[in-house]
Amino acid sequence: MPITAVIGGQWGDEGKGKIVDLLCEDMDLVARYQGGANAGHTVNIDGETIILHQVPSGILRPDTACILGHGMVVDPVALSEELDILAQHNISTQGRIQISYAAHIVTPVHKAMDRATGHVIGTTLRGIGPAYADKARRLGVRAVDLRDTPQLREYLLGRLELGVKQGEFEPDELDTVNRELETFLAAADRLVPMLGDSISSLHHAIDTKKNILIEGAQGTLLDIDLGTYPFVTSSHPTSGGIATGLGVPVQQIDRLIGIFKSYTTRVGEGPFPTELNDEAGDRLQTEGAEFGATTGRKRRCGWFDAVAARYSCQINGFSELALTKLDVLDQFDTLQICIAYEINGTQLPGFSAAIHHLNQVSPVYVELPGWKSDTSSLKSAEELPPAARNYIQRLEELLHVPIARVSVGAERNQILTL
Ligand code: GDP
Ligand code: IMO
Ligand code: MG
């Protein structure tokens, strides 16, 4: 059976949660391979909204098992809260979640460190960068270490001391961190029964021909190597991260679905060539209800950037795309798509040629007519107005990848198959 991966094509929040939930109807197993509680994946079912941060969105399908892979940085406190929220929604998580022994752990020290420096990039303050930094410095704590609470406590006190010595967080954070340690240790204890060898689980699922879905978090342009560094997250949300983050070899993944919003958004700092600081931008923000699912921050909005999106398709190797939030464009008279970047009147050959000076580029736009009609109630792609079809077709031509699904509303059933 095939392995399908769902990956954000832009700067995150493309609607991955919705598409993962949709595809999980047929999945036996869903796995996350990177990131942590910085993610906020929204699923709307019958008017009820659930936001997943670390648990894969497949948990909302009763028969899907979930894996938190070793490429993630797992926050026990946030995960424990998430399990409680799922229970409040009557979703059973018992025996359905496995956390890789080798996943790194976000501790209260990492969150204090993020609070000290995260504002430069506008991080989610979830301790993600510091946890990955400790992993790279080879002084991180891993899920396997949660089994020995006395040793874990000792480790944490040592890490706290190192943090003070190296000035890694503000001195007035010390009391907060000390207080948070007890909550952390209790939450860590709760996770111990969920720990396991996720590589064996995944390969067993592969060998027994199970349907597997891999859920990306964040987005391609936030990749630490391939994104708009330094305004990136600290992991590899691109398809390359799957092999290292889960131990699943690349050739096993036969379906790579790129998720793109019908326009562009970005949360936090960093360059954004098609950003609109005008009425159209405000309109996208309002119509799209563009507020961060994790931090509640207003998302910056702009037109679809086909230069960045083409790069994203190339580096991920997407085999098909899903276009989300088309309904948000319903009432615009005209729409613009960025088809090239210019500097001083000279066109650049593509996104990677521009990535080091994105702040200086001017987008070149093509204008398309809007459709001025409601797409959110449509039941089939045949019903799409011609101008909407034209918009979708133009994107396909620019990206060289077929768009297989178009989402026209937040609800599970608001999806059109092309
Ligand atoms: P993710 O991080 O990629 O899973 O995306 P988020 O959940 O952070 O943000 C996507 C937002 O758009 C959520 O509030 C979704 O409920 C909503 N959404 C998803 N698809 C659609 C759609 O087709 N139309 C509209 N109007 N909203 C959508
Ligand atoms: P999902 O999975 C959008 C952004 C932050 C910040 C940068 C670094 O919901 O699409 P971090 O806390 O990761 O160190 O922050 O990355 N960011 C996201 N933006 N969606 C996300 O996740 C994000 N996760 C991180 O806003 O600019
Ligand atoms: Mg999100």
Side-chain angles (χ1 to χ4, degrees):
M1 282 292 141
I3 300 187
T4 303
V6 168
I7 292 175
Q10 296 155 314
W11 277 290
D13 302 327
E14 300 89 350
K16 298 176 290 295
K18 169 171 172 164
I19 304 295
V20 168
D21 166 67
L22 197 76
L23 298 174
C24 276
E25 188 174 10
D26 304 319
M27 297 292 164
D28 301 299
L29 183 67
V30 54
R32 281 265 312 261
Y33 60 98
Q34 45 70 237
N38 49 351
H41 296 177
T42 313
V43 183
N44 292 277
I45 308 165
D46 301 330
E48 212 177 333
T49 301
I50 301 180
I51 301 174
L52 284 315
H53 299 284
Q54 297 184 86
V55 177
S57 307
I59 195 79
L60 304 183
R61 301 283 185 177
D63 301 322
T64 311
C66 295
I67 285 182
L68 278 68
H70 58 257
M72 287 184 73
V73 285
V74 175
D75 177 343
V77 178
L79 184 52
S80 186
E81 287 166 6
E82 196 169 330
L83 296 176
D84 291 341
I85 289 170
L86 286 167
Q88 284 160 21
H89 285 278
N90 294 319
I91 292 153
S92 165
T93 54
Q94 189 67 33
R96 296 181 56 203
I97 299 177
Q98 186 180 54
I99 303 166
S100 164
Y101 284 129
H104 275 252
I105 296 295
V106 177
T107 71
V109 183
H110 296 131
K111 290 190 211 169
M113 287 162 71
D114 210 2
R115 288 194 289 271
T117 57
H119 58 91
V120 180
I121 286 169
T123 70
T124 59
L125 302 180
R126 295 300 187 273
I128 303 297
Y132 276 117
D134 271 7
K135 171 177 171 173
R137 290 164 78 192
R138 286 152 299 183
L139 46 86
V141 54
R142 293 180 302 162
V144 65
D145 305 317
L146 303 182
R147 297 183 304 185
D148 187 341
T149 307
Q151 208 181 325
L152 183 59
R153 186 190 298 273
E154 205 173 306
Y155 163 86
L156 286 166
L157 294 174
R159 184 65 190 83
L160 195 54
E161 203 177 308
L162 179 73
V164 172
K165 207 158 80 191
Q166 300 196 339
E168 290 177 317
F169 48 81
E170 304 296 332
D172 60 2
E173 290 274 17
L174 203 54
D175 282 347
T176 317
V177 176
N178 266 313
R179 233 179 302 121
E180 286 176 353
L181 286 186
E182 293 314 312
T183 317
F184 171 83
L185 289 168
D189 215 33
R190 183 175 176 190
L191 302 192
V192 171
M194 297 176 212
L195 305 185
D197 168 12
S198 59
I199 296 184
S200 289
S201 303
L202 276 159
H203 281 272
H204 178 71
I206 293 170
D207 294 345
T208 53
K209 313 263 182 262
K210 297 281 194 262
N211 286 326
I212 301 171
L213 187 127
I214 295 172
E215 174 174 350
Q218 289 76 57
T220 297
L221 304 175
L222 289 169
D223 186 288
I224 190 158
D225 279 323
L226 295 160
T228 49
Y229 190 90
F231 300 99
V232 291
T233 191
S234 300
S235 68
H236 295 290
T238 47
S239 57
I242 297 172
T244 54
L246 284 174
V248 170
V250 282
Q251 81 272 22
Q252 296 277 3
I253 304 155
D254 34 24
R255 211 173 150 211
L256 276 162
I257 309 180
I259 314 298
F260 287 87
K261 216 174 258 188
S262 302
Y263 46 98
T264 312
T265 62
R266 173 163 208 172
V267 206
E269 303 302 317
F272 179 176
T274 62
E275 181 170 18
L276 292 169
N277 291 306
D278 60 6
E279 192 258 322
D282 288 347
R283 208 162 146 198
L284 288 171
Q285 202 275 327
T286 315
E287 299 283 330
E290 293 295 352
F291 291 96
T294 296
T295 58
R297 289 179 290 176
K298 247 188 191 184
R299 294 175 182 147
R300 300 155 63 193
C301 297
W303 296 122
F304 191 93
D305 184 341
V307 180
R310 172 74 187 126
Y311 167 77
S312 179
C313 291
Q314 283 176 319
I315 62 175
N316 283 294
F318 293 140
S319 49
E320 64 186 88
L321 308 179
L323 192 66
T324 62
K325 302 190 93 159
L326 189 78
D327 55 299
V328 174
L329 303 181
D330 279 353
Q331 298 308 329
F332 282 80
D333 291 327
T334 55
L335 303 163
Q336 314 226 33
I337 301 172
C338 168
I339 52 163
Y341 293 160
E342 270 183 8
I343 292 185
N344 300 328
T346 306
Q347 272 197 18
L348 298 172
F351 190 80
S352 59
I355 199 164
H356 303 295
H357 34 260
L358 277 179
N359 275 332
Q360 293 154 34
V361 306
S362 310
V364 179
Y365 289 110
V366 58
E367 189 169 270
L368 270 64
W371 42 93
K372 303 280 278 180
S373 69
D374 176 20
T375 58
S376 67
S377 53
L378 301 184
K379 295 283 168 263
S380 82
E382 287 71 47
E383 298 171 78
L384 278 167
R389 274 177 208 238
N390 181 40
Y391 186 77
I392 296 164
Q393 202 181 335
R394 186 60 83 91
L395 291 183
E396 277 185 328
E397 285 162 11
L398 288 163
L399 305 185
H400 307 246
V401 185
I403 295 173
R405 286 185 179 77
V406 177
S407 174
V408 290
E411 275 286 329
R412 202 181 240 180
N413 61 1
Q414 289 179 300
I415 190 92
L416 310 175
T417 308
L418 271 80

